[in-house]
Amino acid sequence: MGWLFGNKTSMVRQEEALPGRSARIPVPSRHAVLDAPPAPPYPEGLEIADFGLGCFWGAERKFWQTEGVYTTAVGYQGGYTENPTYEEVCTGATGHTEAVRVVYDPAKVSYEELLKLFWENHDPTQGMRQGNDVGTQYRSAIYYHSPEQEKSALASRDAYQAVLKASGYDEITTEIAPAPEFFFAEEYHQQYLHKVPNGYCGIGGTGVSCPIGLTTGEA
């Protein structure tokens, strides 16, 4: 438990991570805004995108407001602890980042458009923080579900890095990796800013536009 008093901006080692539990956190049956099930199974033809871009309250709202998005949920990804609680994630001793799961209809909104929304609504150069929110739970991440998503994520990163550099920003620190298990967060976190309209929202971008036309990886 010594990690609880350690540096929250450094990733915990797996052997020091909290053990978690086998019981899953209950998931609401319906999305509070979109009135769709947040958890699978999802209708045929829909795809999943997972993003970490700081505090998940404001991040989720950005995506549920997007046309073509079927449902969203907030949770924890990229760490070691099984079925962690919010309080555990906040200690930095689980290794998870706060994530948003976006279930979308690719006929109505492309993955590249979701990537543009992702890049433009946070500062991906800040490492283990977003603004005043400091810790590994606020790190930037894209967790892809297919080779096509991986290709688009890497191409969009390279394209956005070029325009960020031209605007004086440092290197992008976003983690891009195969999607690990998504642990749903507690019910009160789901669609939080719909339930608490004046609640805290730490989401803020760089003001630099992402060149979406360059994110496909095509010549």
Side-chain angles (χ1 to χ4, degrees):
M1 296 295 286
W3 176 260
L4 299 183
F5 305 98
N7 182 359
K8 289 175 62 177
T9 60
S10 297
M11 276 291 288
V12 63
R13 294 193 294 269
Q14 184 170 2
E15 61 271 19
E16 293 184 344
L18 296 173
R21 58 203 50 80
S22 59
R24 293 185 175 276
I25 291 173
V27 182
S29 61
R30 309 299 293 181
H31 191 286
V33 179
L34 301 175
D35 194 31
Y42 305 118
E44 187 176 354
L46 301 184
E47 297 183 6
I48 297 173
D50 293 331
F51 302 109
L53 55 156
C55 177
F56 53 21
W57 293 342
E60 186 189 18
R61 182 169 62 181
K62 290 291 184 181
F63 289 105
W64 87 51
Q65 292 174 337
T66 301
E67 185 176 357
V69 170
Y70 171 76
T71 195
T72 60
V74 295
Y76 315 113
Q77 275 183 300
Y80 307 111
T81 301
E82 185 178 12
N83 297 305
T85 66
Y86 180 69
E87 288 74 18
E88 289 172 339
V89 172
C90 287
T91 68
T94 73
H96 294 289
T97 190
E98 294 188 16
V100 179
R101 169 151 290 182
V102 183
V103 183
Y104 66 100
D105 183 346
K108 297 179 180 178
V109 61
S110 69
Y111 185 63
E112 286 73 26
E113 289 172 306
L114 297 179
L115 286 167
K116 178 178 174 68
L117 192 66
F118 164 80
W119 291 119
E120 292 183 353
N121 281 282
H122 75 304
D123 182 347
T125 71
Q126 291 196 323
M128 301 299 187
R129 67 180 299 159
Q130 276 298 302
N132 293 327
D133 293 330
V134 179
T136 54
Q137 79 193 76
Y138 301 112
R139 70 185 185 273
S140 176
I142 300 172
Y143 296 123
Y144 55 82
H145 288 262
S146 67
E148 293 75 21
Q149 284 192 355
E150 178 187 18
K151 181 180 179 181
S152 292
L154 293 171
S156 70
R157 179 198 62 191
D158 294 345
Y160 199 42
Q161 181 64 78
V163 295
L164 283 177
K165 184 176 181 181
S167 298
Y169 283 88
D170 294 328
E171 293 294 311
I172 288 174
T173 59
T174 301
E175 174 186 2
I176 299 178
E181 185 168 2
F182 181 90
F183 296 104
F184 285 86
E186 296 83 345
E187 182 172 3
Y188 74 94
H189 289 298
Q190 306 296 339
Q191 299 87 62
Y192 178 83
L193 290 180
H194 171 74
K195 301 168 184 175
V196 186
N198 295 321
Y200 171 76
C201 175
I203 291 297
T206 61
V208 179
S209 178
C210 178
I212 188 172
L214 302 181
T215 65
T216 63
E218 300 174 353

